[in-house]
Amino acid sequence: MIEKEFIPYELALELKQLGFNQPTFFAFDNCSHPMRCTDLRTNEQKFNGVNYNSSSYTSQPTYSQAFRWFREKYSLATQFAYYHVPKWTFEILEFTDIKMTPSKIVCENSKPRTYEEAELACLKKLIEIVKQNEK
C-alpha cells in the first residue's frame, strides 16, 4: 500500500514547523485530509511535486524525503538494522566533517518493532532532537 510511504499528518505538520519546504506529490489541506498536489493557478494535478507549505496546506513527504532532509539540513543520518527476534532497530548518527564520517551516535533504539514502527519512531526522535537543539 502506497500510504505506508508517506508520513502521517501530525509529523508532516511538525516538519513544516521545523522548516521543511521541499516539493512533494501529496499534501494535506487545512483539515488534515490528504490530497494530490494540484497547481492552484491552473487547477491541474502536478506529478513533479509542488511545495504546499502555506497556511492552507502542509506538504506530505515520503519517509525517504524526510530522512534525506534531516541528513542534508541537520547532518543527522539514520540507519536501520534487523535482529532475529524479530526486531527492527535504528541509530541516528551526526556528521560534522566533510568526509561524512559520523562523529557520534546521537540515538540508539533497540525496542522490538516492525520496520514501519521503527521508521515512525526514528522520525519522531529526529524531530525531538532538532527541537531540543533549537532551544
Side-chain angles (χ1 to χ4, degrees), residues 82-109:
Y82 180 79
Y83 294 97
H84 57 76
V85 184
K87 120 176 132 172
W88 280 94
T89 65
F90 66 86
E91 289 182 336
I92 298 173
L93 308 167
E94 183 178 49
F95 292 85
T96 57
D97 63 16
I98 206 154
K99 296 177 191 171
M100 290 304 288
T101 56
S103 61
K104 66 180 176 181
I105 296 175
V106 178
C107 172
E108 288 182 276
N109 193 298

Side-chain angles (χ1 to χ4, degrees), residues 32-87:
S32 77
H33 296 108
M35 53 181 256
R36 179 171 286 139
C37 287
T38 303
D39 187 322
L40 297 177
R41 295 164 295 170
T42 63
N43 206 30
E44 293 178 10
Q45 291 186 346
K46 294 285 192 175
F47 292 96
N48 59 344
V50 175
N51 183 352
Y52 275 110
N53 277 331
S54 69
S55 59
S56 300
Y57 298 97
T58 299
S59 294
Q60 184 184 23
T62 62
Y63 280 94
S64 177
Q65 284 177 293
F67 291 139
R68 183 181 314 109
W69 183 74
F70 278 104
R71 188 175 61 248
E72 291 173 356
K73 182 169 175 116
Y74 296 103
S75 298
L76 294 170
T78 58
Q79 59 185 31
F80 295 88
Y82 180 79
Y83 294 97
H84 57 76
V85 184
K87 120 176 132 172

